[in-house]
Amino acid sequence: MNIRRCAAIALAAWIGAVGVLWGAGEWLSQPAARAIGAAPADFAAQAVRIPIPASAGQFVSGWFKPGQPQGGAVLLLHGVRADRTQMLARARFLAAAGYTTLLIDLPAHGESSGDHITFGAREGEGVKAALAFLRAQVPGARVAVIGASLGAASTVLALPQPEPDALVLESMFPTIDDAVGNRLVGTLGPAGRYLAPLLLWQLPLRLGVHTADLRPVERLAQWHAPVLIASGSEDRHTPWHETERLFAAAQAPKALWKVEGAAHVDLHAFAPAQYQQRVLAFLAVHLRGAPPGP
């Protein structure tokens, strides 16, 4: 095979890869809209639609369930391309413990408005609106956020003021570069790392967002709220050493939970008894003033 033909084949393969990744970028950023409807009968929550002040005409949809007066409140935030139902099992045990709960669909997910998923850059405006709504419903109560993956990143990147009184961050990527690279390696093998820039360069073109806007590990250092960081020991989307980077960046008080055997999955569904014990103990300290455990 002569050099010219080899070059032509290589060029065709490169163009094909660009085309495939362009299509992947389009799919990944498209809204994950779906009808959710009323809350389940065993979780008697009110449907809410919360305007986003920073974006005229935009809103987040969710379910709100009051708890015990001054018992603390929790905002629950799902992962990418999911919706509020992903957090329903968490909301059930929190409600049983007396916490007020608010579950929302992040912007461009579920029944919330939004024309593109921005991987935390603009979803944070929905988080801010939801937190303001929740504080207005429970004036004077302490408020926490539990965020999984995109929900965690959106909260950290938003840096809402006032800050929540406690944070639970699950399976959060440190940077979008890490997130994309890890996923491509998991799908394509080591060569996937070299294709990551073909997805990342689309961010400004499609979304007006830059990789510098999507670095939760840097924003986390600016937070002062107590934080519990959790991730699976077998998570290939966010390997454990990346979770350790996040923990190192966080300010005290902070706690770290390595969920043995878990991949990039719903940590509550994977280890429900451990999850509930750890999260309830953390919230009791930081929302209700209980003394720390041993």
Side-chain angles (χ1 to χ4, degrees), residues 49-89:
R49 181 164 149 161
I50 304 166
I52 301 177
S55 304
Q58 303 297 298
F59 60 88
V60 290
S61 295
W63 293 325
F64 171 74
K65 182 175 175 60
Q68 296 173 357
Q70 298 303 309
V74 184
L75 172 63
L76 296 134
L77 304 169
H78 60 80
V80 69
R81 307 202 71 82
D83 57 58
R84 74 190 91 150
T85 61
Q86 184 186 51
M87 308 303 282
L88 183 57

Side-chain angles (χ1 to χ4, degrees), residues 119-158:
F119 311 105
R122 298 195 187 112
E123 287 81 359
E125 295 302 329
V127 176
K128 290 179 181 178
L131 275 171
F133 171 88
L134 187 54
R135 289 189 184 280
Q137 304 306 307
V138 288
R142 293 183 180 180
V143 174
V145 174
I146 298 178
S149 194
L150 176 64
S154 300
T155 304
V156 170
L157 290 168

